[in-house]
Amino acid sequence: MWSWDYTFMILPEILSALKITVSATFVAFAVALVVGLILTLARRSNFKPLSLFAQGFVEFVRNTPLLVQLYFIFYVLPEHGLSLSPFVAGVIGLGLHYSTYLSEVYRGGIESIPPGQWEAAKALNFSPLDTWRKIILPQSIPPVIPVLGNYLITMFKETPVLSAITLVEIMQTAKMLGSHSFRYLEAFTIVGVMFLILSYSSSLMVRRLEVRLNLKSA
């Protein structure tokens, strides 16, 4: 049976763990944004080895399980002298994994730019850096912001997998509370409700942002 007394007793601990979950999500998302853009630019590079490496990295990461990648970062790298905390290993693993998906989002935005924009930049004698910085990226990134927001929500819902490398996030906290008291109903229900509220409210914000961007571009 549901116990409200027990619910209120464990709620502060779960809320504390929620901070770790949210922090891991945003830090990993920042990693994914930066690395994803780098991968996109590398794949478009005229330097063939760099382009092939970026493409191979994307295919490898996208076609191997996130859990295997996390295990490799957290358990294998220390054997070669690189030890990382569960939080750092988790955000690197999650960020690198989703950077390969965000690189495809960036690529779609860049390929939507009309060829005339590239030709105009060349006619104005813009350097490659200025072309990207002043013309291409400012036009290609805003339309894909809603898609990036959806990936942020997906990453938030993926954070429980980080418990596999001993990060004590919200799901791991719920499991630990349940194992101590042999009461799992309240802990896992609270976690489920928190994920639902945060994910659903975030999705509503992404939809509103998408509508505003569509109105601006209309």
Side-chain angles (χ1 to χ4, degrees):
M1 296 294 292
W2 183 275
S3 171
W4 285 107
D5 289 338
Y6 180 68
T7 299
F8 289 120
M9 183 178 73
I10 64 174
L11 186 58
E13 193 168 346
I14 294 178
L15 287 173
S16 179
L18 180 62
K19 297 176 184 178
I20 298 174
T21 296
V22 173
S23 298
T25 302
F26 279 105
V27 175
F29 186 63
V31 172
L33 286 174
V34 174
V35 177
L37 183 57
I38 292 172
L39 288 172
T40 303
L41 299 178
R43 292 175 72 181
R44 296 180 61 90
S45 172
N46 293 325
F47 184 53
K48 200 67 174 177
L50 179 60
S51 176
L52 289 174
F53 173 79
Q55 187 168 349
F57 178 83
V58 169
E59 292 300 324
F60 176 79
V61 172
R62 289 186 66 173
N63 289 285
T64 52
L66 172 59
L67 187 58
V68 173
Q69 296 163 19
L70 290 171
Y71 278 168
F72 187 90
I73 294 170
F74 188 69
Y75 292 110
V76 177
L77 291 185
E79 296 179 2
H80 301 277
L82 183 59
S83 296
L84 301 172
S85 68
F87 184 88
V88 173
V91 298
I92 290 176
L94 193 61
L96 289 180
H97 185 82
Y98 276 93
S99 70
T100 60
Y101 293 92
L102 297 194
S103 71
E104 292 297 316
V105 175
Y106 286 131
R107 185 172 67 87
I110 291 169
E111 291 182 352
S112 68
I113 301 298
Q117 297 291 315
W118 297 91
E119 295 167 4
K122 188 176 294 185
L124 292 169
N125 203 27
F126 276 22
S127 67
L129 178 60
D130 284 340
T131 300
W132 282 102
R133 186 168 58 89
K134 296 181 179 180
I135 297 179
I136 304 303
L137 292 181
Q139 294 183 76
S140 61
I141 290 181
V144 302
I145 287 176
V147 183
L148 297 177
N150 287 329
Y151 272 109
L152 173 61
I153 297 169
T154 301
M155 291 176 70
F156 172 65
K157 292 187 288 187
E158 283 272 28
T159 53
V161 76
L162 302 184
S163 64
I165 57 171
T166 71
L167 180 66
V168 186
E169 41 68 67
I170 189 171
M171 184 62 74
Q172 181 73 350
T173 299
K175 288 192 289 187
M176 292 169 59
L177 289 168
S179 64
H180 290 159
S181 63
F182 298 102
R183 296 189 63 95
Y184 291 93
L185 173 62
E186 292 85 355
F188 284 126
T189 301
I190 293 171
V191 168
V193 169
M194 286 181 175
F195 271 110
L196 175 64
I197 292 172
L198 291 174
S199 297
Y200 184 66
S201 59
S202 298
S203 68
L204 291 178
M205 287 190 286
V206 169
R207 288 176 198 169
R208 289 187 63 182
L209 178 60
E210 186 173 8
V211 170
R212 290 184 64 181
L213 290 173
N214 289 336
L215 289 174
K216 285 183 179 181
S217 62

